Amino acid sequence: MLMSGRYRQSMRIRRWLTAAVMVIACAGTDRSPARIVLERLPCFGWCPTYRVVIHADGRVEYEGVGYLQTLGADSGEVASQLHNVRREHAQISRQSAALVLRKFDQAWSSWLPNRFGLGWRACPDPATDNPTLLIVRERGARRDTMEVYYGCPLVPARIDHLGTYIDSVAGVERWLGVPHF
């Protein structure tokens, strides 16, 4: 009788622990739709400067100044260009948006660095005046970021290729225009 009482008590504790673990595990799973945010930051010279967002439902949002001229421009000219922001919207298929999210998952690494920017150990001895690429997957409050400063001696192809792919799917070239050298 004593043994069965202990057995019942241990089974109750196990069930309670199992339920608690399941609640905690499910609470950490954010089921909100994801989106990808790509930003290309300016350099010293002629670099495209913009932000593009691809939502899980296929909505695309573009915001940028296109090719920002910083070479030979004074601070007033640069400030003037920064105020000339273009905002555009487009639509891609849900399948294309889902593929962008899958490509992010393939490029993301749990073991290798995902950030190659100024001040990061993965970017020793960087050259200056180069652009930066940021790619962020947002799902609820979670943000996974990949960053490449193109002045780093070792720019990983997985992140650079993902940036090029996202640009292609979003169709940013239609909004960038042509650089005016």
Side-chain angles (χ1 to χ4, degrees), residues 6-155:
R6 284 187 185 161
Y7 176 77
R8 275 186 265 152
Q9 183 180 9
S10 81
M11 288 306 292
R12 264 187 261 141
I13 290 171
R14 285 183 187 166
R15 280 193 298 259
W16 184 84
L17 286 173
T18 302
V21 167
M22 290 176 68
V23 167
I24 291 168
C26 290
T29 305
D30 189 348
R31 300 211 186 280
S32 60
R35 68 183 197 159
I36 296 289
V37 179
L38 177 143
E39 288 188 67
R40 293 197 183 268
L41 305 177
C43 66
F44 184 69
W46 290 91
C47 296
T49 304
Y50 59 90
R51 177 179 197 257
V52 66
V53 180
I54 298 179
H55 297 268
D57 64 2
R59 285 179 295 129
V60 177
E61 300 167 7
Y62 169 89
E63 181 177 290
V65 293
Y67 285 90
L68 181 65
Q69 178 192 5
T70 58
L71 188 63
D74 65 31
S75 60
E77 290 173 306
V78 172
S80 171
Q81 291 178 69
L82 288 173
H83 282 73
N84 192 18
V85 175
R86 181 176 183 171
R87 290 176 179 82
E88 300 288 344
H89 299 300
Q91 185 72 36
I92 61 174
S93 70
R94 286 180 185 267
Q95 294 82 5
S96 294
L99 188 55
V100 168
L101 289 164
R102 276 197 302 280
K103 295 272 189 188
F104 183 97
D105 291 340
Q106 292 168 355
W108 178 259
S109 177
S110 297
W111 297 278
L112 298 172
N114 289 303
R115 298 189 94 157
F116 296 80
L118 293 172
W120 292 90
R121 259 191 307 165
C123 183
D125 304 318
T128 59
D129 305 329
N130 286 280
T132 299
L133 167 66
L134 290 170
I135 306 172
V136 181
R137 176 184 50 206
E138 297 177 349
R139 180 173 278 132
R142 183 181 174 131
R143 295 172 50 95
D144 297 314
T145 302
M146 288 190 262
E147 174 184 353
V148 168
Y149 174 68
Y150 285 101
C152 292
L154 301 172
V155 172

